[in-house]
Amino acid sequence: MVNRPPEFCPYCGEALSPVDPPTTHYCAACDDAVFYNPIPTTRLAVLDGESILLVKVDSPDADLWGTPGGMVEAGENPDEAGARELKEETTLTVNPDDLVLFDVRSFAKFGTTHKTVLAYAVDVTDVRGTPKADNEVAAARFWSASELARVEDRLLTSWPTAYKDVGWWVENARAALE
Ligand SMILES: [Zn+2]
């Protein structure tokens, strides 16, 4: 699978013909189809009261934060991917069985990278450890919507409108846990 519209066959390198773009393309040399599909991704809303755990993207030009998460790997269930990404990014551990699915949607990041996001809620009481930025992120801490509104930092600009609103995350994740 590729994560931008394919022009060349990923197996033999020949130019592809569009069959049903943007999803289906054809390689004459391989006599086979090449598909361009959304990437399955998980996001975790770890709630502590009215605050939510956010991780800071390792970017030099902006103070951008997002909920922890990442791409589902081959052979992995989405909830297991969420637990793994949480540990990789923040050192926190959670049992995948304690994650409650509350939102699923597809969107195109920067218009080209299509993602299907499964968003899970979990209360901080079901999570073990203290958030600490690990290899993949620059910082990890809890924020309330009002705290984040008082600083220049913001949520990822490549996200759909709802996802750029801390209040949306807290409200919907909390509703799923009650
Ligand atoms: Zn080919």
Side-chain angles (χ1 to χ4, degrees):
M1 184 158 64
V2 291
N3 60 17
R4 57 191 166 113
E7 294 176 50
F8 300 97
C9 176
Y11 306 106
C12 76
E14 285 292 314
L16 296 171
S17 315
V19 175
D20 185 14
T23 299
T24 311
H25 304 258
Y26 175 71
C27 175
C30 294
D31 188 22
D32 209 350
V34 173
F35 298 102
Y36 166 53
N37 297 103
I39 303 166
T41 305
T42 63
R43 290 285 151 198
L44 261 57
V46 181
L47 298 184
D48 183 359
E50 289 302 303
S51 295
I52 184 169
L53 178 66
L54 298 178
V55 292
K56 191 175 179 183
V57 178
D58 216 349
S59 161
D61 41 61
D63 289 329
L64 297 176
W65 296 76
T67 43
M71 290 182 269
V72 180
E73 295 184 350
E76 194 176 50
N77 284 321
D79 54 356
E80 294 166 342
R84 174 184 52 73
E85 290 283 350
L86 182 69
K87 184 158 190 253
E88 288 174 2
E89 295 181 348
T90 72
T91 73
L92 296 175
T93 58
V94 67
N95 184 335
D97 292 342
D98 290 327
L99 301 178
V100 179
L101 184 68
F102 74 95
D103 189 74
V104 179
R105 66 179 67 200
S106 294
F107 69 97
K109 184 180 175 182
F110 301 121
T112 55
T113 302
H114 290 263
K115 296 194 167 189
T116 296
V117 177
L118 295 92
Y120 293 92
V122 64
D123 193 86
V124 72
T125 53
D126 286 323
V127 172
R128 284 162 300 283
T130 305
K132 176 176 161 294
D134 217 342
N135 298 333
E136 300 181 358
V137 298
R141 56 158 287 187
F142 284 88
W143 289 91
S144 70
S146 57
E147 276 179 311
L148 197 62
R150 287 197 293 271
V151 296
E152 294 292 309
D153 300 33
R154 57 200 190 281
L155 291 189
L156 290 167
T157 51
S158 59
W159 273 359
T161 305
Y163 280 16
K164 288 188 265 195
D165 177 1
V166 173
W168 178 89
W169 284 97
V170 173
E171 188 180 320
N172 287 277
R174 181 57 70 198
L177 292 175
E178 280 166 359

